Amino acid sequence: MCLSVSDTPPTLPTWFWQHGRNLSAALKLFPHPDLLSRYEKAHSESLLEELHRVADAGPTEDPTALFRDLGAQAGARVEADRALKENLLQYLASGAVVGFGFEAPRRLQDSAIAIPNGAWSGFVGWSQSQLEHQGIRFLEVRVMPAHWEEQLKRRWHDQFAPAPAVKTRGPEGTARQIAEAYTALKEAGQIDFEASMQALYPRVRHWLMAHYPQAGFSDSKPHDETLRKTISPLFAGDCGKGRQ
């Protein structure tokens, strides 16, 4: 049996997740200045500090005034928190801010996945940075502005993507391109030799689409049989070597 791949480069969604912010931290990153000002004002003094301040001031003619003040301060804080959460959820639903997380239960080898915009209508666990929507629970959720994606994608390609291959044409050229994709993915540690050979096909197609954008490759092309003819002897040979 072939050895499993370890220390593989992160997938692009995992790369985005690594550069995101958890939900609690993100609340203060994207709000309108007025909302942030209201939040900071409401949280500028703790309820305990307010209680000490009033107590130090001595007796008052209206003892209930203390509780009214404390209640008003608590209410202002709750409203400020609600406004920030609603503001962030609007950005997430519109796609201006995007989220990534892990589907529960998370396994060590799992990659992060992009959270659909519509999922943000579900239950949000702000302090745990979790989201539940239609029975699916996302863990360790992080978010970031959508405009970060392009720059992070370029950095990911510079750091992890295999070098572009030389372009060729025709059926023989397609076979060479597939072999180049296989070799590049193997050298990048992105082939799991314990999985089936067919599990590799989507990754090969994505590599071909990225490096030969004008060649007409897609999520269904090259066809499975075309991929099998080229990859099968390469894959079998590598498994036979045990990937030493």
Side-chain angles (χ1 to χ4, degrees), residues 232-243:
S232 181
L234 301 173
F235 191 86
D238 285 328
C239 278
K241 295 174 185 176
R243 296 283 288 139

Side-chain angles (χ1 to χ4, degrees), residues 16-228:
F16 290 152
W17 175 85
Q18 289 173 350
H19 291 81
R21 305 292 186 270
N22 65 41
L23 293 179
S24 295
L27 283 175
K28 294 186 285 185
L29 293 180
F30 312 113
H32 186 280
D34 289 347
L35 293 179
L36 186 58
S37 176
R38 191 199 315 176
Y39 175 89
E40 291 176 342
K41 181 179 179 181
H43 287 262
S44 61
E45 187 176 50
S46 71
L47 296 179
L48 184 59
E49 288 173 342
E50 173 68 8
L51 182 61
H52 287 163
R53 183 184 65 79
V54 175
D56 291 342
T60 175
E61 294 180 0
D62 184 4
T64 61
L66 168 60
F67 298 101
R68 287 199 301 269
D69 291 344
L70 293 175
Q73 184 178 349
R77 184 171 299 180
V78 169
E79 177 58 25
D81 291 351
R82 184 202 61 77
L84 282 190
K85 292 174 181 177
E86 184 177 287
N87 176 79
L88 179 55
L89 288 175
Q90 289 175 351
Y91 281 133
L92 287 161
S94 70
V97 175
V98 291
F100 302 88
F102 298 88
E103 188 173 341
R106 181 186 176 183
R107 300 168 300 175
L108 183 62
Q109 68 271 28
D110 286 347
S111 297
I113 57 176
I115 298 175
N117 296 353
W120 292 101
S121 61
F123 175 77
V124 181
W126 295 96
S127 60
Q128 300 85 14
S129 215
Q130 297 182 7
L131 172 67
E132 187 167 350
H133 177 71
Q134 295 182 348
I136 299 176
R137 189 157 59 101
F138 298 96
L139 308 176
E140 300 181 49
V141 175
R142 297 183 184 180
V143 301
M144 69 180 193
H147 67 262
W148 286 11
E149 285 189 330
E150 197 58 40
Q151 181 180 3
L152 287 172
K153 188 182 297 183
R154 288 196 297 268
R155 290 172 53 189
W156 183 89
H157 277 287
D158 290 344
Q159 188 167 343
F160 300 112
V166 178
K167 294 184 178 180
T168 54
R169 296 177 179 272
E172 293 184 0
T174 298
R176 284 194 293 270
Q177 291 166 342
I178 293 171
E180 289 166 358
Y182 176 91
T183 300
L185 292 170
K186 182 179 72 171
E187 291 177 352
Q190 296 182 24
I191 298 180
D192 185 351
F193 289 95
E194 286 193 341
S196 68
M197 184 176 70
Q198 288 78 6
L200 175 61
Y201 292 174
R203 193 178 288 269
V204 171
R205 291 188 180 108
H206 290 166
W207 190 97
L208 292 171
M209 285 188 285
H211 295 286
Y212 295 95
Q214 307 302 322
F217 296 121
S218 68
D219 287 336
S220 58
K221 293 182 180 179
H223 299 298
D224 284 3
E225 180 60 20
T226 303
L227 293 171
R228 185 196 65 78

